[in-house]
Amino acid sequence: MKAFERARWRCRRGMLELDIVLQRFMDQYYRQLNNEEIMQFESLLSFADNDLWDLICARKTVMDDDLLPVLKLLQKS
């Protein structure tokens, strides 16, 4: 549970739209992720707010195809 709470805290961002999408993702998908997907999510969280938002909105393409499965879930949220 501690990992979930830590991830939820990292989802608090400076952009309201991003906060909403990330919180929805946490509620809908996070507990279903395997270890590899959790690492992908953590990698996505390391992006700057604007870059992450652009990826979620598909204004930019992700350079690392390994991040696509979790990014697609974020785009659904």
Side-chain angles (χ1 to χ4, degrees):
M1 185 72 136
K2 205 165 195 150
F4 177 79
E5 292 168 3
R6 239 180 290 132
R8 196 168 197 67
W9 179 256
R10 288 196 65 208
C11 289
R12 296 184 55 153
R13 308 300 283 241
M15 183 186 284
L16 178 61
E17 297 89 343
L18 198 49
D19 279 348
I20 292 168
V21 169
L22 291 172
Q23 292 306 316
R24 276 192 205 146
F25 174 85
M26 290 296 294
D27 293 339
Q28 293 176 347
Y29 300 110
Y30 187 84
R31 287 191 170 104
Q32 301 167 20
L33 300 178
N34 62 36
N35 287 336
E36 184 178 335
E37 292 166 330
I38 289 172
M39 289 174 46
Q40 293 167 6
F41 181 61
E42 293 289 329
S43 293
L44 287 167
L45 289 179
S46 70
F47 283 81
D49 287 358
N50 289 331
D51 294 334
L52 181 55
W53 183 246
D54 287 344
L55 288 172
I56 291 171
C57 292
R59 287 185 252 185
K60 287 186 179 179
T61 56
V62 68
M63 301 302 282
D64 184 355
D65 288 342
D66 291 339
L67 301 176
L68 281 175
V70 175
L71 181 59
K72 294 211 180 284
L73 293 175
L74 280 166
Q75 290 170 337
K76 286 184 191 179
S77 298

